[in-house]
Each structure stands twice: as C-alpha cells, then as structure tokens.
Amino acid sequence: MAKDVEGPDGFQTRDYEDPPPTPFFDAEELTKWSLYRAVIAEFVATLLFLYVTVLTVIGYKIQSDTKAGGVDCGGVGILGIAWAFGGMIFILVYCTAGISGGHINPAVTFGLFLARKVSLIRAVLYMVAQCLGAICGVGFVKAFQSSHYVNYGGGANFLADGYNTGTGLAAEIIGTFVLVYTVFSATDPKRNARDSHVPVLAPLPIGFAVFMVHLATIPITGTGINPARSFGAAVIFNKSKPWDDHWIFWVGPFIGATIAAFYHQFVLRASGSKSLGSFRSAANV
Amino acid sequence: MSKEVSEEGKTHHGKDYVDPPPAPLLDMGELKSWSFYRALIAEFIATLLFLYVTVATVIGHKKQTGPCDGVGLLGIAWAFGGMIFVLVYCTAGISGGHINPAVTFGLFLARKVSLVRALGYMIAQCLGAICGVGFVKAFMKTPYNTLGGGANTVADGYSKGTALGAEIIGTFVLVYTVFSATDPKRSARDSHIPVLAPLPIGFAVFMVHLATIPITGTGINPARSFGAAVIYNNEKAWDDQWIFWVGPFLGALAAAAYHQYILRASAIKALGSFRSNATN
C-alpha cells in the first residue's frame, strides 16, 4: 500500500509517518483542558447516540404492536433501526473526531488503547464518560415515555429466544471486530497520507460498519458491539434477563477489539515483523 | 486538534485555520448589497422545495391503503434528510444553506450572522414553507385535508413535556452537526471537499426523524411546522405550535453554547487559562 517517494538522496522513502506510541500512563494529560473537553465530548456524544437510537427502537415497537393499535409494517422497521445506529455513529464521529477522536464506544477505546493510540488515563476516562453518557441518554428516553419504555423492552440487549450464549458471544466478537477493524483502517496514518484531502470521509465507513453489523445481528442479540450502549440500557431498564446476559456485551466486544487491534497492528501493519527487522515485503512498508 | 504549520523550514505553533471575526450584531450595510437579497431568495426557494417534497411524501404515504404500501416511516425520514442534504449542498455557497430558523438562530447566537440577516432569513424561510405546503394542498386538496396536512402535533399518548424534550434534543443534534460541519478548524482540514459538509447535516435530520416521528411528527424546524400549520389551519396544530418554536430554539441555544464555550472553549480562551496549548 505504501507509495514510493523519492527522497532528497534519490532513495525510496515513505509518504506517511507513524506517530510515536502514546505513553502507557501519561499523568500530564490530567493538567490539560483538551482532555476534559474530550471527555465531555464523549459523554455528550454517547448520550445523544443512546437517546436517538433507543427512542427509535421504542417508537418502532409501539407502532408495529398490533395489540396496542399498531399495524403490520408500522414504524421504521429493522432497517430503520439499523440506520439509526449507523447514521448516528456517522454524524457523531464526524462531530467529535477532532475533539476526542470520536470513539463513542468502550470497545473502540480499548482497541485503540491496545494499539498504543491512547493512554491508560484517557482510555479509562473515556470509558467512564461513555457509560455515564449512555445511562443519561437512555434515562432521557425513559423520562419522556416511561410506560412505553418499560413495556417495549427498554432498548436493552439480551439473547433472543432460540440462540445460545456461544452464538451471542460470537456475534458480538465478530461484529465488534468488523467495527474496530474499520476504525483502524479509517484512522491509519498511511491512509491519511493518501486521503489527506478527505478526512471528512473517515466517519462514513465507520457508520456503515455499524449499520451492516446491526442488519446482521439485531435478530440474535439486538446488537451490542458497544458495551456502553448495552450497559446504559441495562441500568435504566433494570430487568434480570438483560443483566444475566450482560457479560456477553462486555466480553464479546473487548475480545473483538483485541483481535482487530492485533490484526491491524501485527498483520496488516506488521509491527512485530518490523521490530524484528525481517520478513517484510519492502523496506518502506 | 490544531496542526503545526511550518514556514520556510521553521516549525512554529501557528494555527492552520482562521476564526472569522464575529458578525456585527446590526449590519445595516447588508441591506444595500445584492448578495443579501440573493441569499433571501435562495432561502425562500430552498424552504419552499423542502416543504413541497417532504409534505407531498407524507401525504402520499398516508394515502396508501395497505399497511405495507407506501414508502413507510423510513421513506419519510429519508425524504426529510435527503432534501436537507440536497438543498444545503445547493444553497451553501449562496446563503449558507440554513433552511431552518433554528439553525439561523443558533448561528446568530454564535455571531456567525447579523441580526438583520437572521431576521431576513427566518421570514424568508417561513414564507417559503407556507408556499411549499400551499403547492401540496393545491395539487392534492382532498388527501391533504383528510390526511393531516403534514402538520406537526403531539401524538396521542405523549405529553407536551415529552414532545418539547424531543424537539430540544432533536434540534440540538442538528445544530451541533451544523456547527461541526462549518467549523473553521474543519474547513481548513477539509478545504478540498466542502461539498461533503451537507452529508452529515442531512444524516442528522434523517436520524432525528427516525427517532421522533412517532412523538411529534418531527419538527426541529419552526418554518416547517409553521408552514404546515398555516395551510392546514387546524386547531390541534395551532395549540401545539409553540412546542415547535420553543423546543428548536432552546435546542439551538444549547448547541451554540456547547460548541462555542466547551468544544471551542471561547470562555476559557477569553480567560487565557487552563488550555492545552496556545492554538487550541
């Protein structure tokens, strides 16, 4: 994928620069306004994400419930729900990318932490902000329509009837792998060097990845791939079934993010091979 | 987020973008420039087209008899979001592509447009909306009158507080996206493709419609609600009308404050403290 660029001495050099790994523990960040601004941005973005998406889910269930005056084919349908999740990720990543990196998902934050793109302090604060934002977002939905919220499942993630735990876990692992792999690809410094005139486009494939995964896994788990989303809904809905299955929506996404980080860093970008100084296709990969 | 800009081999921490100066509060000089009136015409026509296409979509959907006929709520949401994308794309270079008094109000609060321009835009948008819905009624009078006229009202089973909350948050999402898409920092980075800024704005409108059509029919645009209320002229639509002005204006106010004072940290910059670096 690397381009050959003539250096000043006529040798081949790279047209991109890998940023240095983020320090594992960067206490100095705590003195910077930009960290707190980023944490606020993650909180607000996750709040808006959960508010709009869970509201869409509840609205769809109301309008398609024939026993309560709804109609067949009422509401936005599963396709509309998938669009709500994917589209919100697109616009929120677009809005927050320059402020916080636009994670809006603890699994994404965890994957980027493993790849040394964010420090431990930033990762932990982001995850806390995301979870609190998710709770508040779902809280708003419940506050605005309490009876509908309780009657129609609260937007909570749990295993659908007919699927076992292994299936649900695998769906979450693979779904999160797709998402986090897309995030790594969209934020790759190689790609940025090539697409430097279109950084606005990075959120689009990320949003589409979320959309596609929802199309595939809504029937299985309601689609988690975002522990904050699952946690916020579980906290506010607070029923035993979502809590019983809740571990799936943390373990699955974190495993998926780990695999994606490993795949991107050590296979596609061959960090391991580079450090060994061997087995590279070219000196400038 | 700021980039370091290199000049003649020297790297200094300069900004690669320029914050435009605040628009004057009252700029009477604008009234003498043709570009101002051209912008008003563009806002009028864009809002007319927006209301015509979207309300025609709503009435057409309701006119279908089978439960699975018509474009569905998803199609309605696409009509609103897609039209905003197209019209912002078309008018951005002429008027800024507001097409919505709440957007204009938010940009006015952030000193991006003057009071004269803001008021002119809002009047043009409302008149355009009335004409757009008027065309729908003219072309399909009976279905228009019998199928709700595309008017925004609070749906049965929802309180006025719920509807107001939905309008506030929905408009916040939209206006926050507008601020992000038009941020001079972003423009500096994406200067080769300003064409793409309307895409997230259209998507924001689409998403909010998916979420709030069941509650209020989705306003988030006072001109859209006002135009439909004027032409449909139904008591319920007028009783609820205040929600579709107060909610969007509060949402726009919150978005402007959030973007200007938290994300862009204008207040902190003014205090000259607690910044990560001089260019933030």
Side-chain angles (χ1 to χ4, degrees):
Chain A
M1 184 184 163
K3 280 184 188 167
D4 291 342
V5 179
E6 284 285 309
D9 304 320
F11 58 82
Q12 307 295 331
T13 185
R14 298 186 300 181
D15 64 340
Y16 69 94
E17 198 171 316
D18 274 311
T22 306
F24 178 72
F25 194 79
D26 186 5
E28 194 193 335
E29 278 192 309
L30 293 170
T31 63
K32 293 180 177 175
W33 163 242
S34 62
L35 173 66
Y36 298 101
R37 181 180 65 174
V39 169
I40 293 166
E42 287 291 317
F43 171 83
V44 171
T46 315
L47 185 157
L48 295 174
F49 175 58
L50 267 288
Y51 172 76
V52 169
T53 54
V54 173
L55 197 59
T56 303
V57 170
I58 302 299
Y60 161 67
K61 289 188 173 181
I62 294 165
Q63 295 192 310
S64 57
D65 182 4
T66 51
K67 296 184 189 116
V71 293
D72 290 326
C73 304
V76 296
I78 300 290
L79 186 62
I81 290 170
W83 268 121
F85 280 89
M88 279 304 287
I89 287 297
F90 166 56
I91 64 166
L92 291 169
V93 172
Y94 177 84
C95 290
T96 59
I99 308 293
S100 66
H103 298 191
I104 320 172
N105 183 336
V108 170
T109 302
F110 183 68
L112 293 170
F113 165 69
L114 292 178
R116 303 287 300 278
K117 308 284 188 191
V118 294
S119 70
L120 179 62
I121 287 174
R122 186 174 287 261
V124 170
L125 286 176
Y126 275 22
M127 289 184 198
V128 171
Q130 290 154 358
C131 289
L132 291 176
I135 292 167
C136 293
V138 183
F140 275 128
V141 178
K142 185 173 181 180
F144 292 156
Q145 40 186 326
S146 189
S147 60
H148 290 321
Y149 177 85
V150 173
N151 294 341
Y152 291 104
N157 288 124
F158 49 82
L159 276 176
D161 295 336
Y163 294 98
N164 63 31
T165 303
T167 304
L169 187 63
E172 289 298 306
I173 291 170
I174 297 169
T176 311
F177 176 86
V178 171
L179 169 59
V180 179
Y181 172 36
T182 306
V183 169
F184 273 107
S185 298
T187 57
D188 191 321
K190 276 192 182 185
R191 168 162 269 121
N192 288 346
R194 315 293 139 80
D195 301 349
S196 55
H197 298 322
V198 283
V200 61
L201 283 179
L204 200 54
I206 296 169
F208 260 86
V210 172
F211 171 56
M212 298 312 146
V213 172
H214 275 77
L215 288 181
T217 63
I218 282 175
I220 304 171
T221 59
T223 310
I225 71 168
N226 183 334
R229 174 258 181 276
S230 305
F231 181 68
V235 167
I236 299 296
F237 189 52
N238 200 23
K239 293 275 174 19
S240 61
K241 174 70 169 149
W243 281 122
D244 289 345
D245 294 342
H246 193 63
W247 66 273
I248 293 169
F249 301 101
W250 284 89
V251 174
F254 274 45
I255 292 173
T258 303
I259 297 168
F262 177 83
Y263 175 61
H264 187 267
Q265 294 294 100
F266 292 99
V267 178
L268 300 187
R269 294 299 304 277
S271 301
S273 303
K274 283 179 185 172
S275 60
L276 292 171
S278 64
F279 201 55
R280 285 183 291 167
S281 54
N284 60 0
V285 169
Chain B
M1 183 183 163
S2 297
K3 283 184 185 167
E4 291 172 15
V5 181
S6 170
E7 190 176 271
E8 296 179 296
K10 289 178 284 190
T11 302
H12 58 87
H13 289 278
K15 298 190 293 186
D16 63 342
Y17 67 94
V18 178
D19 274 311
L25 181 66
L26 202 73
D27 185 5
M28 302 312 288
E30 281 191 308
L31 295 171
K32 296 178 195 151
S33 68
W34 162 241
S35 63
F36 173 65
Y37 296 101
R38 183 181 63 175
L40 290 184
I41 294 166
E43 287 290 318
F44 171 84
I45 295 293
T47 316
L48 184 157
L49 294 173
F50 176 58
L51 267 288
Y52 172 73
V53 170
T54 54
V55 173
T57 304
V58 170
I59 301 301
H61 165 64
K62 289 187 171 180
K63 196 168 180 288
Q64 306 298 320
T65 49
C68 300
D69 294 344
V71 296
L73 289 194
L74 188 61
I76 291 170
W78 268 122
F80 280 90
M83 279 304 288
I84 287 296
F85 168 58
V86 170
L87 292 168
V88 172
Y89 175 81
C90 292
T91 60
I94 309 293
S95 66
H98 298 191
I99 320 172
N100 183 336
V103 169
T104 302
F105 181 67
L107 293 171
F108 165 69
L109 292 177
R111 303 288 301 277
K112 308 286 188 190
V113 294
S114 70
L115 180 62
V116 171
R117 186 173 287 261
L119 289 175
Y121 276 21
M122 288 183 198
I123 292 165
Q125 290 154 357
C126 289
L127 292 175
I130 292 167
C131 294
V133 183
F135 276 127
V136 179
K137 184 171 181 177
F139 295 156
M140 42 171 88
K141 188 166 188 179
T142 306
Y144 179 85
N145 287 330
T146 55
L147 297 171
N152 288 124
T153 56
V154 180
D156 295 337
Y158 294 97
S159 69
K160 285 192 165 39
T162 298
L164 186 64
E167 288 296 307
I168 291 170
I169 298 175
T171 311
F172 179 91
V173 171
L174 168 59
V175 179
Y176 171 36
T177 307
V178 169
F179 273 106
S180 298
T182 57
D183 191 320
K185 278 193 182 186
R186 169 162 266 120
S187 299
R189 315 290 140 83
D190 300 349
S191 54
H192 293 85
I193 44 145
V195 55
L196 283 177
L199 194 57
I201 296 170
F203 256 89
V205 171
F206 171 54
M207 289 327 126
V208 172
H209 275 77
L210 288 181
T212 63
I213 283 174
I215 302 172
T216 59
T218 310
I220 70 167
N221 183 334
R224 174 258 181 277
S225 304
F226 182 69
V230 166
I231 299 297
Y232 188 51
N233 200 22
N234 168 277
E235 191 182 351
K236 169 82 167 131
W238 282 120
D239 287 345
D240 294 343
Q241 179 69 196
W242 67 272
I243 291 168
F244 302 101
W245 285 87
V246 174
F249 274 45
L250 287 176
L253 170 68
Y258 176 60
H259 187 268
Q260 295 294 100
Y261 291 100
I262 296 178
L263 299 188
R264 293 300 304 278
S266 300
I268 288 162
K269 284 179 182 172
L271 291 171
S273 65
F274 202 54
R275 285 181 292 166
S276 53
N277 62 52
T279 61
N280 243 24

